[in-house]
Amino acid sequence: MINIQRSFKGEKKAGKLYLVPTPIGNMQDMTLRALETLRSVDVVASEDTRNTQKLLNHFEIKVAQESFHEHNSFEKIPKILDFLLSGKSVAQVSDAGMPSISDPGHDLVVEAIRRNIDVIALPGASAGITALIASGLVPQPHIFYGFLPRKKGEQKKFLEMKRSYPETQIFYESPYRVAETLENILQVYGDRQVTLVRELTKIYEEYRRGKISEILSSLKEQPIKGECLIIVSGFSGEVEIEGVEETSPLEAVARLVEEGIKPNVAIKQIAKERNLVRQELYAQYHDL
């Protein structure tokens, strides 16, 4: 059944759930509307109450907080919903940037919608989009993935599935894993253009733009600190692994199978990437 929300029209018995972005580094990125909302709600559902309290103190906002993070969301969502259904309003915030991206806010949003509670998102700071538009890479179309799988095998398997995507890709990464992740991207994607961004909006904000191999060389000379974003150019339709002879379709399928991808899935992917007839490649692979 269709759900229609008219956020600011009509009388509502329930309170409103506001999704409020917070600064990703620079406190001045807090919007006037976000400040007004935090002052007006009855409670703030915070990913980390200590972190949010620093924000509230900075802007001299006095409002109650409710801890709400991935480890307690199961027990906290019913409590927050009861609060909203009683007519009181809640602002949900993450530690930095837009809520509901890397925190349990999405589950709360879904449950609120099921109960016809208005969910109102405020625009504001977003690390992925902010880094993208200054990266120098094509901003549209783009795909935001957040953090990649940590284990090397799972990460490379994920990248193999995304290798032929034409969209610019956005990843979050820890400074402790960024070099290893770039090595994996280089092996799977080839030596594409990439922008490595760190400490966004802070005093040590830095953009490193170049080919993946060049960025890796710079990391050996100048290691980095601070949370990072990796912006990778999309697949151009050309083989981008320099100095390496292009593998045959069967060899490419075999490589994917070695990475743990099922043969038929690998055949379908290689056939699509190389504009081949899938049935013919299937027959060759299985020697039919």
Side-chain angles (χ1 to χ4, degrees), residues 161 164-166 235 265-278 281:
M161 296 173 61
S164 61
Y165 284 23
F235 181 58
V265 175
I267 290 168
K268 183 178 180 181
Q269 179 176 324
I270 297 302
K272 181 179 179 182
E273 290 177 3
R274 305 194 180 194
N275 294 316
L276 302 174
V277 178
R278 178 172 59 83
L281 184 57

Side-chain angles (χ1 to χ4, degrees), residues 86-100:
S86 72
K88 297 180 179 179
S89 292
V90 175
Q92 193 236 327
V93 301
S94 68
D95 283 347
M98 298 295 289
S100 296

Side-chain angles (χ1 to χ4, degrees), residues 114-288:
R114 286 181 57 191
R115 292 162 176 76
N116 291 315
I117 296 170
D118 289 347
V119 179
I120 301 172
L122 276 62
S126 171
I129 296 300
T130 303
L132 173 67
I133 61 174
S135 68
L137 301 178
V138 178
Q140 188 176 343
H142 67 265
I143 299 179
F144 171 79
Y145 287 119
F147 285 97
L148 282 162
R150 292 191 178 188
K151 294 183 179 179
K152 183 176 181 179
E154 293 178 1
Q155 187 178 103
K156 292 184 74 173
K157 183 177 179 180
F158 178 89
L159 292 169
E160 288 283 2
M161 296 173 61
K162 314 300 180 186
R163 183 165 66 94
S164 61
Y165 284 23
E167 298 88 354
T168 300
Q169 300 177 14
I170 306 170
F171 303 104
Y172 288 159
E173 192 51 279
S174 160
Y176 306 108
R177 296 190 300 270
V178 69
E180 183 179 353
T181 295
L182 285 171
E183 288 280 6
N184 291 337
I185 295 174
L186 176 62
Q187 291 177 23
V188 177
Y189 285 13
D191 207 6
R192 295 189 192 177
Q193 290 291 323
V194 65
T195 299
L196 176 62
V197 186
R198 75 177 187 94
E199 293 292 88
L200 201 57
T201 78
K202 301 176 184 177
I203 189 67
Y204 293 109
E205 176 177 293
E206 177 180 286
Y207 287 79
R208 297 191 190 188
R209 304 177 179 94
K211 291 198 169 185
I212 298 175
S213 60
E214 295 171 334
I215 302 300
L216 282 168
S217 295
S218 77
L219 289 175
K220 293 178 181 178
E221 299 173 3
Q222 295 177 303
I224 58 174
K225 297 180 180 179
E227 292 301 316
C228 305
L229 293 100
I230 300 173
I231 318 293
V232 187
S233 59
F235 181 58
S236 66
E238 300 176 356
V239 177
E240 300 179 41
I241 303 178
E242 297 181 357
V244 179
E245 184 177 344
E246 182 180 355
T247 58
S248 69
L250 289 178
E251 289 172 335
V253 171
R255 187 179 69 173
L256 293 183
V257 172
E258 289 176 0
E259 294 290 342
I261 297 177
K262 293 181 179 179
N264 287 354
V265 175
I267 290 168
K268 183 178 180 181
Q269 179 176 324
I270 297 302
K272 181 179 179 182
E273 290 177 3
R274 305 194 180 194
N275 294 316
L276 302 174
V277 178
R278 178 172 59 83
Q279 292 83 352
E280 293 180 0
L281 184 57
Y282 178 91
Q284 292 175 27
Y285 181 80
H286 292 284
D287 197 23
L288 300 178

